[in-house]
Amino acid sequence: MKRTYQGRVWKMGDDIDTDTIIPGKRGTIPTMDEMKKYAFELLRPDFAKDSKAGDIIVAGDNFGCGSSREQAPAVIKANGVTCVVAKSFARIFFRNAFNIGLILIECDGVQDACQDGDQIEIDINNKVKTNGKEFPIGNIPDNLFEIVNDGGLVNHIKKLNAVKGGK
Amino acid sequence: MGYTMVEKILMRNAGVDNVEVGDIVTTHPDMFMIHDIYTPYVEKVLNEMGTLKLDDPDKVTIMFDHCLPTAVAKNDSIHYDAGIRLSKKYGIEKMHIGEGICHTLMHELHYAKPGMVVTATDSHTTTYGGGGCFCSGIGTTEMAGALTTGELWFKIPGAIKVELTGKFQKGVYAKDLIEKIMGDLTASGAQYKSLEFCGDGVANISMEGRYTIANMSLEAGAKCGLFLADQQTADYFDENLADIDWIRPDDDAKYERVLHYDLGKLSPQLSCPQGVDNVHSIEEAEGTTLDEVYVGSCTDGSIEDLKAAADILKGKHVAPYVRFIVVPASNSIFKEAIEKGYIQTFIEAGGVISHPSCALCCGMPYGLLSDGQKILSTGNRNFIGRMGSKKSLIYLGSPAMAAASALSGKISDPRKLA
Ligand code: SF4
């Protein structure tokens, strides 16, 4: 299983709410391919255009606060972001993110050590590294990564059910 | 290194010997509950996932309480039929249809026991923490996933310790304590945290009172509200204290915050419109006229709650024009209240007695308010429009306060009648 993630930093502040991630009025767009173009449209109009596979968001406290809509983590993932590293996450966002296949890492301190465009490396269950500085992170069990790698909870269970031969 | 109660319970279930706040652990919940509102959604996701068999149907219970009997056409065919289909397809035998409110049944039937990890599709799942059980609500997608695999992950939350000392004065109850805490912490003050109730004062709070407090811990944003296990807990669950007395924090457990309350110094409290954390002492709201008074809900519909109300109402009659509605939280509570004469007292006092269910707490079946009307409810939420019109006003208080207020038709201090 993949244990490290490396990518380019998108730096954001505290209290990034679900409306900032994807404005409520965009919530009715029928496909994710179309909706993802509006991710962070008010805060970072360059995000949807310039983000690429493997990018990593680094943010402050309370990332994902606001509504419980699952589209918020989903549009971040659809833009290629693999992980969000933040000081803290809103609870519902936290559960939704893993369940749709986006990795979240809680880490305090790294926010002051990197800027937009810097490289960052995440060594799962160990540390976050950027610009020569390292910060410890907590443990996430393997089966949560399986959910993420399968593309979210629904797909993960579908796969398990298929392996069980539909039993 | 010492651990908080939530750490101890989650570690034990997950089979790990060390955790820190922020770690994620994989648990195998001991019990799963789905209530009637969510049966169609859980069924839909299980179908989408292609689940033909649950990990362990004996660990699953389905309870019909929110819309039973329904006041909305087709609720029966949508919610009940989905529940019955789930039961048949997956062999779920623990079906409880119209036996009472889900959260009350969960501890009454010993489905949620001390030291267990339990989950349900409802926010007030925190209730069973009154008996030292870790329990937290989840959404329907996660429920469907967890029913299939038997696994559910939780992040180890930080914890706030609530040290209790002393004994309630006459006319002051568990509801007043948790409302006081709500006011102090605000609706988000315990966001994602474990609220842990400890100290000598716990022994002076009945099991019913502990369930009231754990139930409302959710309204401060808490992930769970846990009580240490003591002799009362052991007696309630027919357990040996020696088997459950590990459910208490270690002396050197790390808490983010410690709050102290002397039960003896509390006065009756009210959550005023519109916000559970808009808490005031009785003096500030006394005299407000009321249209309706409701005793019931998973917060305050226990036998002890009915007794507190009946003691005040015995031989008296509620004020003219006040609609006084009593809803025992479960059938067994209802039967006991009949045996003990409380129901007769309520009827003679002019009350309307309704069958055990969520009743007007979820604003579905009856008792709804129109513009400008005011209710004193013993429930747990006074959100705008929860019990009828968006322009109605909801006050939350203890059953004794409700009874005293029904008598006078105005918000009243139960201590003056006690
Ligand atoms: S009584 Fe009220 S709070 Fe309790 S489960 Fe029913 S609707 Fe929810």
Side-chain angles (χ1 to χ4, degrees):
Chain A
M1 197 179 316
K2 198 166 156 66
R3 309 298 316 189
T4 55
Y5 293 84
Q6 207 168 352
R8 185 183 59 159
V9 169
W10 288 86
K11 186 80 181 293
M12 297 183 189
D14 290 335
D15 299 312
I16 302 290
D17 60 44
T18 48
D19 266 309
T20 302
I21 299 170
I22 183 75
K25 65 172 184 197
R26 305 290 186 193
T28 53
I29 297 174
T31 68
M32 194 38 74
D33 258 356
E34 186 59 24
M35 194 192 297
K36 72 176 188 190
K37 295 181 190 157
Y38 302 99
F40 298 105
E41 61 175 327
L42 300 174
L43 181 75
R44 298 294 304 260
D46 51 336
F47 178 82
K49 197 158 40 68
D50 297 340
S51 60
K52 44 177 210 264
D55 282 358
I56 289 170
I57 292 175
V58 176
D61 263 322
N62 205 21
F63 189 92
C65 56
S67 89
S68 61
R69 79 185 94 104
E70 286 187 11
Q71 294 152 339
V75 289
I76 295 178
K77 185 185 155 198
N79 277 293
V81 171
T82 50
C83 315
V84 181
V85 181
K87 267 187 208 164
S88 66
F89 293 94
R91 178 188 173 202
I92 299 174
F93 182 85
F94 195 86
R95 293 205 81 91
N96 283 342
F98 280 98
N99 289 332
I100 62 96
L102 176 70
I103 297 172
L104 305 185
I105 304 282
E106 275 187 348
C107 179
D108 192 358
V110 65
Q111 290 77 10
D112 304 323
C114 64
Q115 292 309 322
D116 243 21
D118 287 356
Q119 283 294 312
I120 189 166
E121 198 182 311
I122 297 161
D123 184 4
I124 295 304
N125 293 346
N126 186 11
K127 59 178 189 264
V128 168
K129 214 166 103 180
T130 186
N131 293 321
K133 294 203 182 106
E134 297 185 351
F135 304 89
I137 55 177
N139 284 323
I140 302 178
D142 283 353
N143 60 346
L144 217 62
F145 284 103
E146 280 167 31
I147 296 176
V148 169
N149 290 340
D150 289 342
L153 185 62
V154 174
N155 285 335
H156 175 67
I157 304 284
K158 264 190 201 163
K159 196 180 99 178
L160 291 182
N161 280 329
V163 171
K164 279 196 284 183
K167 271 205 299 171
Chain B
M1 194 187 96
Y3 295 105
T4 62
M5 285 195 268
V6 70
E7 288 171 338
K8 285 183 164 183
I9 298 174
L10 289 176
M11 266 164 63
R12 190 167 185 264
N13 185 291
V16 294
D17 8 283
N18 179 37
V19 288
E20 282 184 39
V21 172
D23 281 357
I24 296 173
V25 293
T26 303
T27 66
H28 292 83
D30 301 285
M31 200 69 195
F32 300 86
M33 184 271 284
I34 307 161
H35 62 56
D36 52 4
I37 299 273
Y38 291 113
T39 50
Y41 311 108
V42 173
E43 185 191 31
K44 179 174 162 277
V45 187
L46 282 169
N47 285 338
E48 224 176 287
M49 290 172 165
T51 298
L52 300 176
K53 201 169 162 270
L54 303 187
D55 175 65
D56 187 353
D58 287 342
K59 287 186 182 168
V60 187
T61 177
I62 297 176
M63 298 178 170
F64 292 4
D65 58 350
H66 282 65
C67 26
L68 198 120
T70 181
V72 181
K74 289 207 179 131
N75 255 354
D76 46 359
S77 55
I78 296 171
H79 299 272
Y80 309 160
D81 289 358
I84 288 162
R85 278 195 304 270
L86 282 170
S87 156
K88 285 193 178 142
K89 175 166 179 184
Y90 296 110
I92 298 165
E93 283 171 12
K94 296 190 169 80
M95 295 290 289
H96 298 281
I97 299 176
E99 291 174 34
I101 305 172
C102 58
H103 300 308
T104 304
L105 293 178
M106 284 297 282
H107 58 81
E108 204 176 70
L109 297 170
H110 294 191
Y111 286 167
K113 298 207 284 191
M116 277 187 171
V117 170
V118 173
T119 188
T121 51
D122 193 84
S123 47
H124 292 101
T125 301
T126 54
T127 308
Y128 336 134
C133 166
F134 171 85
C135 39
S136 205
I138 55 171
T140 47
T141 306
E142 290 205 277
M143 177 57 84
L147 290 176
T148 310
T149 60
E151 290 181 352
L152 187 65
W153 60 271
F154 286 107
K155 185 149 78 116
I156 304 290
I160 297 174
K161 189 178 199 172
V162 185
E163 277 272 354
L164 302 174
T165 53
K167 223 175 154 166
F168 292 121
Q169 288 176 31
K170 225 172 158 47
V172 182
Y173 299 85
K175 182 63 155 283
D176 301 307
L177 169 64
I178 187 62
E179 290 196 359
K180 178 82 185 147
I181 294 173
M182 299 277 326
D184 292 348
L185 277 177
T186 79
S188 61
Q191 203 61 258
Y192 195 71
K193 310 236 180 294
S194 173
L195 266 187
E196 310 207 338
F197 298 90
C198 316
D200 301 342
V202 168
N204 298 323
I205 304 178
S206 65
M207 289 308 288
E208 284 92 341
R210 297 178 196 184
Y211 286 119
T212 298
I213 292 166
N215 173 281
M216 271 193 94
S217 296
L218 178 272
E219 301 302 336
K223 182 178 176 111
C224 58
L226 298 175
F227 272 81
L228 58 79
D230 61 7
Q231 191 57 50
Q232 276 195 70
T233 322
D235 293 346
Y236 187 82
F237 288 99
D238 302 319
E239 300 245 16
N240 286 321
L241 180 57
D243 295 331
I244 57 170
D245 73 352
W246 59 272
I247 307 166
R248 58 179 60 245
D250 289 333
D251 291 340
D252 53 346
K254 270 188 272 165
Y255 283 93
E256 291 181 8
R257 227 176 132 179
V258 181
L259 306 171
H260 295 270
Y261 291 92
D262 179 347
L263 305 183
K265 293 212 173 109
L266 291 170
S267 61
Q269 306 286 310
L270 283 149
S271 284
C272 295
Q274 297 282 13
V276 273
D277 57 358
N278 182 18
V279 176
H280 296 275
S281 188
I282 181 79
E283 296 77 17
E284 296 171 62
E286 215 173 348
T288 307
T289 55
L290 297 167
D291 300 282
E292 195 164 297
V293 172
Y294 161 55
V295 175
S297 84
C298 58
T299 317
D300 271 316
S302 71
I303 193 70
E304 189 181 280
D305 295 323
L306 299 185
K307 178 180 191 308
D311 284 351
I312 287 174
L313 288 166
K314 185 136 183 89
K316 303 195 177 117
H317 200 281
V318 301
Y321 315 117
V322 168
R323 306 184 297 264
F324 177 55
I325 303 175
V326 181
V327 187
S330 73
N331 278 349
S332 66
I333 294 169
F334 198 2
K335 281 198 293 187
E336 193 176 341
I338 291 170
E339 277 160 33
K340 295 200 162 142
Y342 306 153
I343 297 299
Q344 183 156 352
T345 296
F346 295 137
I347 293 171
E348 286 168 3
V352 173
I353 319 300
S354 204
H355 66 284
S357 70
C358 291
L360 50 160
C361 178
C362 63
M364 290 178 69
Y366 46 69
L368 304 184
L369 303 164
S370 51
D371 287 1
Q373 293 199 325
K374 296 189 209 91
I375 185 171
L376 178 67
S377 157
T378 62
N380 49 31
R381 277 187 174 158
N382 56 359
F383 297 172
I384 293 170
R386 183 166 171 102
M387 297 173 132
S389 154
K390 286 195 170 130
K391 291 192 183 132
S392 59
L393 299 172
I394 306 171
Y395 294 82
L396 304 175
S398 72
M401 191 193 292
S405 303
L407 275 184
S408 61
K410 300 179 191 120
I411 291 177
S412 302
D413 187 338
R415 290 174 302 185
K416 296 184 180 163
L417 296 172

